[in-house]
Amino acid sequence: DGGITQSPKYLFRKEGQNVTLSCEQNLNHDAMYWYRQDPGQGLRLIYYSQIVNDFQKGDIAEGYSVSREKKESFPLTVTSAQKNPTAFYLCASSLTSGGLDTQYFGPGTRLTVL
Amino acid sequence: GQNIDQPTEMTATEGAIVQINCTYQTSGFNGLFWYQQHAGEAPTFLSYNVLDGLEEKGRFSSFLSRSKGYSYLLLKELQMKDSASYLCAAPRTSGDSNYQLIWGAGTKLIIKP
């Protein structure tokens, strides 16, 4: 079955540690996205990638980093510079970028900083 | 700037009909998406409207009025499994990250027996 996988589902981190969230898709989509979801707020765009080896900052990129070395993979690193990292992180992909193609989401990773 | 507004929470009765509204303020328009999100899960796509009018998909319908900057999601014959948040999103039309989606905060729908 085609889809998007994220791992782990739950992640706990101590303050000052970097952590990497995995996102893999086998839909052959060019575009991939990382969002952060906090209670009472809409999804906020962290980074997006329109094609392999290219990515752009979204609205809240500070304290985060990404890479896109393979079409299928778009890992997100939450660095110690992110002041309030506890949140639900969602990865998505679409056939092309530009917001006009439907985005399909992975199951999410809930990150808690202890 | 661009903004999307939705009611925070709505309550409805099993078997009834509910309408969830979404208003948007954008300088241009490239369509509007609706997603369903159960608690702790991923959003799943429901509909995409780019032309005015009502589009029906089974128990769910979505309406768009571009002149009024307004959309609604209509859910009929409500079932308990429809308890979820409903997210409205539209592509940006200017600025950084142009064409990327801007999201409403979501409407939490509570279905009572």
Side-chain angles (χ1 to χ4, degrees):
Chain A
D1 286 338
I4 303 176
T5 58
Q6 291 184 242
S7 61
K9 189 169 180 64
Y10 298 96
L11 189 57
F12 298 89
R13 186 196 102 176
K14 293 182 179 179
E15 282 192 30
Q17 289 182 336
N18 293 355
V19 63
T20 297
L21 281 57
S22 167
C23 178
E24 304 277 332
Q25 55 98 0
N26 60 4
L27 300 168
N28 201 32
H29 285 172
D30 281 329
M32 297 186 75
Y33 313 81
W34 274 105
Y35 292 97
R36 171 180 171 140
Q37 188 173 36
D38 294 282
Q41 298 190 41
L43 274 64
R44 291 186 289 168
L45 184 64
I46 304 173
Y47 270 97
Y48 63 102
S49 169
Q50 299 180 25
I51 199 165
V52 177
N53 293 320
D54 183 59
F55 50 83
Q56 287 79 39
K57 293 181 179 179
D59 301 313
I60 55 166
E62 184 175 351
Y64 300 98
S65 66
V66 294
S67 63
R68 186 86 187 275
E69 297 175 0
K70 297 187 299 181
K71 187 175 187 177
E72 302 79 18
S73 180
F74 191 41
L76 173 75
T77 296
V78 184
T79 76
S80 56
Q82 169 50 233
K83 298 305 179 189
N84 186 22
T86 294
F88 189 45
Y89 290 88
L90 287 161
C91 178
S93 71
S94 62
L95 191 59
T96 62
S97 182
L100 305 185
D101 281 334
T102 300
Q103 294 186 17
Y104 297 91
F105 286 82
T109 293
R110 188 167 297 280
L111 173 63
T112 302
V113 174
L114 304 173
Chain B
Q2 297 181 244
N3 197 42
I4 291 182
D5 293 308
Q6 307 178 236
T8 302
E9 187 175 296
M10 298 181 70
T11 302
T13 304
E14 190 176 15
I17 298 173
V18 71
Q19 177 177 310
I20 302 173
N21 296 328
C22 170
T23 57
Y24 60 90
Q25 298 85 37
T26 61
S27 57
F29 183 73
N30 286 313
L32 190 134
F33 292 85
W34 283 98
Y35 281 78
Q36 179 191 60
Q37 185 180 26
H38 286 98
E41 297 182 9
T44 55
F45 171 76
L46 289 177
S47 67
Y48 173 58
N49 293 67
V50 66
L51 299 175
D52 290 349
L54 185 69
E55 292 193 10
E56 299 186 59
K57 278 187 186 179
R59 294 190 299 114
F60 290 14
S61 302
S62 54
F63 172 84
L64 176 68
S65 169
R66 288 174 294 173
S67 62
K68 296 182 179 179
Y70 167 69
S71 173
Y72 67 74
L73 187 67
L74 191 70
L75 288 70
K76 302 177 184 177
E77 300 169 16
L78 286 170
Q79 302 175 11
M80 297 304 292
K81 67 179 181 179
D82 297 329
S83 292
S85 288
Y86 291 86
L87 315 180
C88 176
R92 302 168 206 222
T93 55
S94 63
D96 294 339
S97 304
N98 197 20
Y99 295 112
Q100 298 307 312
L101 293 179
I102 182 168
W103 295 80
T107 298
K108 183 178 181 181
L109 177 63
I110 299 169
I111 308 297
K112 295 186 175 180

